[in-house]
Amino acid sequence: GIQGCCASRAKPSRVVERSGPVWETADLTWWDFQKRRWSSLWLMKTVYYRLKRVERETEPMYADGGGKCPKADQMWDEVHRTNAREIREHAEQVKGLFIKACQFMSAMAGVLPDPYVDEFMCLTDHLPVSTIEEVRKVIRQDFKRFPRDIFSELAVEPIASASIAQVHKATLRHNGKQVAVKIQHDGVDRIFLEDVQTLSTIAEQVAYWSPDLDFRKFTQEWRESVPHELDFGEEKRALERARKALRAGGSPVLVPKADPKLVSRHVLVMEFIEATPILSLGDVDFCQQNGIDKNVVLETLLDAFGIMAFKDGMFHADPHSGNVRILVDPNAPGGAVPVLFDWGFFREIDDGERMGLAKLFHALANFDIAGLFDVLNVLGFSVRGELFTDEFRREFLEKARSLLKDTVNKQETRANVQREMADYQARVKRGQQRGSNAASNSISPIYFLEEFPRCIIFFMRMLQILRGLCVSVEAQGMPILQIFARHAKEALIEGSKKQSLVNRLQVFAGREVWSRNTVTPPSPWMSTTTLNSPAKIVALEARLKKRLAALLEQQKIVGAQVAVLQGGRSVADVCMGNLSSIDARPVDVTTRFPLFSGTGSLAALALLRTMRRLGFPGGGEPGALHSKVAEIWPEFGGGDSSLTIAEILSHSAGLHNAFPQDFAPRHLDDIAAVADHLEKVPLSAKAETRYAHLLQVFVLAKLGDLLAGEDSLLHWLGTELGALGLDIAAPAGRGGEAAVCRELPDLARVSMTEVNASRDRRLGTLAMEGGALPTQQEDKEPQRSAPGSTCGFIEAVAKNPLPFDPLQANAAHGGVFRAGLSLGASAHALASTLSSEALQDDLEALGALEPAGMDPTAIGWVFSGGATRWTAGGLQALEVQAVGPRGLLGRRRGGYGIVCGFGPCVVHFPDLASGGITIAVTVNDVLRGREAAAELLAEALKSFGYAPTWTSAPVRVLADAIQLSRSETVAPLVQSLGGIRAVKESLYGAGRGNSKAARPSRACVSCCWCGCLAGVFRRRST
């Protein structure tokens, strides 16, 4: 493409030495085209075999030298220099698309060996030129006018020349304005179309030699884009659209303005902008003399591409060093304004692709593995079935983030590429030892992706070129992912406001209701007794709305609902906020929020109703809950378990230490596998009360299947609790439901520390497996742990934090069970269910409210939202303290409910008023959900003269949290966030995420657990 088409500069010395080569493309014959094609194919073959020869010769030399050998390094350097020189000379000779390919490679500083970058750099701006006679001929043919009638002056020498066209400085005759005239080389269109065929042939041959280097889809994309690049009318349209998009996005980046009256297929006249090469930013003296901060200037450039790609849907697809220049301006951010030239090569993406890519970047920035693969499915990515394992998912996420890591210097970039190559060679070698081919052990996406959207090709190319620019000028620490993720989030928010996009784009999918009947909230004017006047009801709702508004302003919630029922009738039903941090649609009182671990308590209620309805075991007798689980599930706990149903429901069965050694995301949807594991684990004696995160839901789902014949947790809950008012829902593809939010902006900063840690983890996995990752038919199933082999919760999180990530609740692809995390309900429905007279009767008849035990641990306190006392029926026993004069007497009232550490809760106090008071709160921000829910609950109880007692961490919990933070097992999780202090600053500091200082990048999703521990320490400090 044209490099800096509107800027003057001195030609490099190497161009002068070549005596001004000119384009000779206008009169090429059939024989000329055949010679071009066969010379290109021969060069490709020569380069390939030359590299393979050096690889064979140096491999034993490196092996003998322990990975180091100066002589081998010299051999590689020599072959690279030879290949680079011959490729550059061939591109200059045949011109056309080969020059553009070399321009792309010139931006890969630190990725390609230096000789290639150095040789190809001269092809970014000064190339062979067309003669002035040919230039005048093209102008005359297109405008049907002589050049002298249009321009009073047309420079003989071009100020820039590229693969398709060259640019001359000129002066318009009618107004004396200086302009830049871009003229297409005569006959270049034939060359480009022919070169696409040649490159397709090369791609076919390379794919045959090396299946993991299959670039055939790339050449197909070139085939469709080249005709647009050869039409300057298309470039004028791109210039105008880009200018409009950048202005609307508030970007100062400049784009030349085209003259609408002087545009044709082969000629484009635009304003002349005097600018400086962007590579000047690598000159320390230049930056100091002009007061330029290169990092700020490059951030401005990256911002511009984020705006174009995510908010407009069109972006410059060839931003190499010749097409991007800077205009020194002391008033501009960083002291200079980037200027984007040569818009012949641009890419447009439709709304579906634009929103899909935006959601993709948001998922990468938030380490959201479930969201990532959901949107990949929406975009059209298709992964080979034999590779789609949990380990592959994690590796894919880590590799994708590493491609978007913060920039480092050339030396470190080069070292990282070498380490990646060593990683690849180790995989291939192990695979060969196991009898598989190199391709099947490749980490190349070209191999493991059966299908992928073509829009991603030039998008990633654009990102690679921008990264190369940053590396070329030694701009370290450029937060590429963070910048693009910010614009992606803004684009998603804007997209969610447009109903037309919401209706037709799957990226805004939500949950589907199971219940047959829609629950309509009763009128809030139907209460009696305590709040028996409309004035008091209005006052309560006003206070709740005020509190919600304050929480929104403090960024403690994204969306929330509060429902208050008295005697089963609505007193207040308020809501505020959005469906998620990337979905600006407002929540309403019927919106369903994720239940997280609260699903376990709802499953406990469903089990109680099933037992009483079926009269088994013990029917309506209080002793029924003390029946053995084995009466329903004989194989449970090794086949001779004496554990009772009450012990399962009250977290006293030792399930917290019963996780499979290889517990991974795949288990979240595999009830059969987890049930089979629990049948082999000896669980025969009552254990201490410890919160059984996730595993309790599996046990209850299995019991529901055996007792009620419901193999779907969703259907079982709907059958038993739907009649009480529960509007249960699960992810299915219909929008309008709240999603789990976990916003940690610094997660988008991907450091080399994270990249190296991920690589070390992969190599460790390979070493343990004794070979490459499972790719063969016999290795389709992931390696399983030994039957009955278990580990505790903390150990399981340390081994693999991904299945414990609350964002798994958003997953809509691959199953809807998700250990119950993904089920959702509204606050009003939760309150209606718990206040139901039918449920009260069941609880009383079965003795479900008997005290059963207390979890004294910090982990238990976190997951139960502070309500650590359990009843025999799986509910939490609660107390409220009177406030005001009654509080002086120490007056307390008891109740029960479901309190989740991530925020959602529903509580019932039968003695606070006639008919009892029921309060439900739903939130979707897991980082501050518990804190926000506690504030809302306290605000609602305040109207009745009480305050909750369980929301403050007692001394025993603080002591356990301190001891836990010192544990060697937990230490890696805490340190991955820079320690407890860093977490406190990240979660509770003023202006979350506004700091531009780079913090240690997280290498896993342990942020939620560390964040919860930080919350405990925060309460200790206050």
Side-chain angles (χ1 to χ4, degrees):
I2 293 297
Q3 306 301 325
C5 64
C6 306
S8 60
R9 52 188 172 258
K11 293 184 179 182
S13 58
R14 99 181 312 158
V15 177
V16 176
E17 293 173 359
R18 283 182 281 162
S19 303
V22 298
W23 282 83
E24 298 174 348
T25 58
D27 302 312
L28 292 180
T29 64
W30 175 88
W31 178 244
D32 292 325
F33 279 110
Q34 293 303 311
K35 287 193 295 183
R36 292 178 78 259
R37 167 175 284 197
W38 286 107
S39 64
S40 300
L41 295 174
W42 182 260
L43 176 62
M44 177 271 299
K45 179 181 178 182
T46 301
V47 168
Y48 178 81
Y49 281 110
R50 193 180 285 156
L51 292 172
K52 296 299 289 185
R53 175 180 57 79
V54 174
E55 182 181 19
R56 289 194 302 269
E57 294 176 358
T58 58
E59 186 174 356
M61 299 168 67
Y62 282 124
D64 294 340
K68 297 181 179 179
C69 180
K71 183 178 179 181
D73 291 341
Q74 183 179 1
M75 292 175 63
W76 276 113
D77 185 68
E78 289 175 357
V79 75
H80 288 321
R81 290 188 183 281
T82 300
N83 285 343
R85 184 184 68 255
E86 291 184 4
I87 293 173
R88 190 259 304 162
E89 291 174 349
H90 179 74
E92 290 178 332
Q93 179 182 358
V94 303
K95 308 175 182 66
L97 201 54
F98 293 95
I99 286 179
K100 188 167 289 294
C102 290
Q103 289 174 342
F104 170 57
M105 290 186 285
S106 73
M108 301 179 70
V111 177
L112 286 178
D114 287 345
Y116 295 96
V117 177
D118 295 340
E119 282 287 341
F120 300 157
M121 189 62 68
C122 70
L123 299 178
T124 61
D125 50 8
H126 273 282
L127 297 166
V129 300
S130 297
T131 64
I132 189 63
E133 290 77 15
E134 291 173 333
V135 167
R136 290 168 179 162
K137 173 185 174 183
V138 172
I139 295 175
R140 186 169 61 253
Q141 288 177 340
D142 274 39
F143 289 149
K144 309 302 181 186
R145 300 165 62 187
F146 287 101
R148 63 174 178 269
D149 296 334
I150 304 173
F151 309 107
S152 60
E153 181 181 353
L154 178 64
V156 174
E157 290 294 324
I159 58 176
S161 180
S163 56
I164 289 180
Q166 65 190 45
V167 174
H168 289 253
K169 187 176 181 180
T171 303
L172 292 176
R173 181 170 294 279
H174 72 280
N175 61 8
K177 182 180 179 180
Q178 283 192 336
V179 293
V181 186
K182 182 177 179 179
I183 307 99
Q184 193 172 117
H185 300 300
D186 194 13
V188 76
D189 48 355
R190 296 172 57 206
I191 290 179
F192 263 67
L193 296 175
E194 174 69 21
D195 287 346
V196 169
Q197 286 294 117
T198 302
L199 288 176
S200 297
T201 303
I202 292 176
E204 290 283 351
Q205 187 61 53
V206 171
Y208 174 77
W209 283 334
S210 300
D212 59 335
L213 295 176
D214 187 351
F215 297 105
R216 286 173 292 186
K217 281 198 175 184
F218 292 77
T219 58
Q220 184 180 357
E221 187 74 6
W222 278 106
R223 185 189 303 274
E224 294 187 8
S225 66
V226 162
H228 293 286
E229 191 171 2
L230 294 170
D231 184 353
F232 287 176
E234 288 289 297
E235 180 170 353
K236 169 186 171 291
R237 182 174 65 85
L239 284 168
E240 293 174 344
R241 181 172 172 179
R243 284 168 57 87
K244 182 179 179 181
L246 292 174
R247 283 198 304 268
S251 173
V253 172
L254 298 177
V255 174
K257 184 177 181 180
D259 189 324
K261 297 181 180 179
L262 293 174
V263 179
S264 68
R265 183 175 180 82
H266 304 106
V267 182
L268 174 63
V269 178
M270 65 195 106
E271 67 175 316
F272 182 86
I273 302 177
E274 191 81 33
T276 304
I278 193 168
L279 294 183
S280 301
L281 294 177
D283 186 340
V284 177
D285 293 335
F286 171 81
C287 292
Q288 289 179 346
Q289 291 171 5
N290 293 278
I292 293 177
D293 184 332
K294 63 184 177 184
N295 282 51
V296 175
V297 175
L298 290 171
E299 279 194 29
T300 302
L301 178 65
L302 293 172
D303 268 321
F305 276 85
I307 291 170
M308 290 186 289
F310 296 123
K311 297 178 181 177
D312 180 65
M314 186 203 76
F315 56 88
H316 196 304
D318 201 21
H320 55 73
S321 59
N323 284 348
V324 184
R325 299 172 73 82
I326 57 172
L327 189 64
V328 177
D329 182 358
N331 297 320
V337 179
V339 186
L340 295 177
F341 295 113
D342 190 4
W343 282 80
F345 189 18
F346 63 94
R347 187 68 169 86
E348 293 178 286
I349 52 180
D350 61 35
D351 285 334
E353 294 169 331
R354 180 170 65 89
M355 291 290 100
L357 287 171
K359 200 166 185 178
L360 173 67
F361 271 76
H362 185 266
L364 288 173
N366 285 278
F367 217 106
D368 180 4
I369 192 169
L372 172 64
F373 280 92
D374 281 344
V375 73
L376 288 178
N377 183 59
V378 170
L379 279 172
F381 284 86
S382 178
V383 179
R384 295 179 184 272
E386 68 270 20
L387 293 176
F388 205 65
T389 63
D390 284 329
E391 178 59 28
F392 168 79
R393 288 184 179 93
R394 182 170 183 177
E395 181 172 349
F396 185 95
L397 175 60
E398 291 173 346
K399 294 291 291 183
R401 282 174 61 86
S402 71
L403 292 175
L404 300 168
K405 61 183 176 292
D406 294 1
T407 58
V408 292
N409 58 37
K410 294 180 183 178
Q411 183 178 0
E412 195 168 355
T413 301
R414 191 177 301 109
N416 180 59
V417 172
Q418 292 171 349
R419 288 192 292 268
E420 290 289 347
M421 182 55 67
D423 183 8
Y424 167 74
Q425 291 173 342
R427 289 168 178 270
V428 172
K429 187 174 182 179
R430 286 189 175 95
Q432 290 172 342
Q433 292 172 351
R434 300 172 66 187
S436 57
N437 58 38
S440 66
N441 294 280
S442 173
I443 56 176
S444 169
I446 298 173
Y447 169 69
F448 60 68
L449 290 176
E450 289 183 324
E451 295 292 337
F452 58 92
R454 284 161 50 194
C455 68
I456 202 72
I457 294 175
F458 286 125
F459 193 94
M460 296 308 297
R461 178 182 185 272
M462 171 265 289
L463 281 174
Q464 179 60 52
I465 295 175
L466 290 175
R467 170 177 290 280
L469 280 180
C470 296
V471 174
S472 296
V473 299
E474 297 287 347
Q476 301 185 47
M478 297 302 301
I480 295 177
L481 177 56
Q482 188 179 59
I483 291 173
F484 273 71
R486 182 176 70 250
H487 291 291
K489 179 179 177 180
E490 293 172 359
L492 287 167
I493 292 173
E494 283 301 312
S496 68
K497 296 177 181 178
K498 299 179 180 179
Q499 195 61 43
S500 60
L501 293 182
V502 170
N503 289 342
R504 61 188 174 89
L505 298 184
Q506 197 177 347
V507 294
F508 296 110
R511 288 173 171 76
E512 184 174 38
V513 182
W514 177 87
S515 302
R516 296 184 179 89
N517 299 318
T518 301
V519 179
T520 303
S523 168
W525 310 107
M526 296 174 61
S527 71
T528 59
T529 315
T530 305
L531 296 182
N532 55 6
S533 71
K536 290 184 178 181
I537 295 174
V538 170
L540 171 59
E541 289 197 331
R543 285 197 301 271
L544 290 174
K545 289 180 179 178
K546 183 178 180 181
R547 177 65 66 176
L548 284 170
L551 291 172
L552 274 175
E553 186 177 356
Q554 297 165 14
Q555 300 183 39
K556 290 184 179 180
I557 60 172
V558 175
Q561 297 169 323
V562 184
V564 182
L565 274 64
Q566 181 180 326
R569 297 184 175 185
S570 181
V571 171
D573 212 346
V574 298
C575 58
M576 196 170 290
N578 302 325
L579 295 180
S580 79
S581 57
I582 58 173
D583 192 336
R585 286 175 290 173
V587 301
D588 58 39
V589 293
T590 63
T591 300
R592 293 163 185 84
F593 279 68
L595 296 171
F596 303 111
S597 53
T599 303
S601 297
L602 288 176
L605 296 180
L607 181 64
L608 298 179
R609 287 183 59 77
T610 300
M611 291 172 59
R612 192 160 187 237
R613 178 171 55 84
L614 298 179
F616 178 86
E621 300 176 5
L625 292 180
H626 298 288
S627 302
K628 293 182 180 180
V629 177
E631 295 183 43
I632 305 174
W633 185 4
E635 301 83 5
F636 175 74
D640 59 352
S641 175
S642 61
L643 289 173
T644 66
I645 295 173
E647 288 165 353
I648 293 291
L649 299 182
S650 62
H651 298 267
S652 302
L655 291 175
H656 67 290
N657 282 327
F659 284 93
Q661 287 280 356
D662 60 347
F663 193 72
R666 70 175 182 274
H667 289 99
L668 297 179
D669 288 320
D670 197 342
I671 299 178
V674 176
D676 181 67
H677 165 76
L678 293 174
E679 289 176 355
K680 296 178 174 63
V681 177
L683 297 169
S684 57
K686 178 177 179 179
E688 295 179 308
T689 301
R690 297 291 186 271
Y691 191 88
H693 183 53
L694 298 184
L695 290 189
Q696 186 202 51
V697 180
F698 283 96
V699 175
L700 296 178
K702 179 67 174 181
L703 292 176
D705 183 16
L706 295 172
L707 194 58
E710 289 282 4
D711 61 355
S712 166
L713 178 64
L714 172 65
H715 291 175
W716 182 38
L717 295 181
T719 299
E720 297 295 352
L721 304 179
L724 307 183
L726 185 65
D727 55 351
I728 197 72
R734 285 170 51 177
E737 306 302 330
V740 182
C741 304
R742 185 197 64 206
E743 294 294 317
L744 280 173
D746 283 340
L747 269 179
R749 301 297 300 270
V750 186
S751 67
M752 282 303 303
T753 301
E754 174 183 332
V755 173
N756 291 332
S758 299
R759 183 185 298 109
D760 291 343
R761 186 195 61 77
R762 292 195 301 271
L763 293 175
T765 301
L766 287 174
M768 288 188 294
E769 293 179 354
L773 290 175
T775 57
Q776 302 249 6
Q777 185 67 25
E778 65 270 22
D779 293 326
K780 285 177 66 174
E781 290 297 321
Q783 291 193 357
R784 306 287 182 177
S785 57
S789 177
T790 64
C791 63
F793 169 75
I794 290 295
E795 185 181 354
V797 175
K799 286 183 176 181
N800 191 348
L802 293 178
F804 302 95
D805 183 1
L807 294 185
Q808 293 283 357
N810 288 337
H813 177 65
V816 298
F817 182 61
R818 299 277 95 184
L821 294 171
S822 60
L823 300 185
S826 66
H828 182 88
L830 291 173
S832 297
T833 301
L834 198 60
S835 65
S836 163
E837 291 184 3
L839 182 62
Q840 309 301 322
D841 186 45
D842 291 336
L843 296 176
E844 183 177 350
L846 293 172
L849 300 180
E850 295 177 1
M854 182 187 73
D855 187 344
T857 65
I859 292 295
W861 190 90
V862 165
F863 277 105
S864 62
T868 57
R869 297 180 182 274
W870 295 90
T871 70
L875 296 173
Q876 288 146 286
L878 309 168
E879 275 191 346
V880 289
Q881 170 74 49
V883 295
R886 290 180 297 178
L888 298 177
L889 301 176
R891 187 177 180 182
R892 295 190 174 215
R893 288 286 185 269
Y896 52 87
I898 302 171
V899 183
C900 173
F902 291 129
C905 63
V906 53
V907 298
H908 179 74
F909 295 95
D911 300 327
L912 289 193
S914 176
I917 297 297
T918 310
I919 303 171
V921 179
T922 54
V923 295
N924 56 352
D925 186 335
V926 296
L927 291 178
R928 297 200 172 192
R930 176 186 54 78
E931 184 181 358
E935 290 189 34
L936 291 167
L937 187 62
E939 189 68 50
L941 284 170
K942 186 177 179 181
S943 298
F944 300 93
Y946 288 87
T949 61
W950 64 89
T951 55
S952 298
V955 174
R956 57 179 170 74
V957 169
L958 297 173
D960 186 61
I962 294 172
Q963 183 178 0
L964 190 63
S965 66
R966 295 170 180 169
S967 166
E968 292 183 1
T969 306
V970 179
L973 305 180
V974 179
Q975 291 305 316
S976 69
L977 294 180
I980 287 292
R981 179 172 296 180
V983 177
K984 285 173 61 180
E985 293 175 356
S986 176
L987 297 181
Y988 298 104
R992 289 191 322 179
N994 291 333
S995 173
K996 292 187 178 181
R999 291 180 181 147
S1001 185
R1002 286 80 174 174
C1004 69
V1005 295
S1006 58
C1007 50
C1008 275
W1009 319 123
C1010 296
C1012 292
L1013 286 175
V1016 174
F1017 277 89
R1018 176 173 177 268
R1019 295 214 175 257
R1020 176 171 177 261
S1021 65
T1022 55

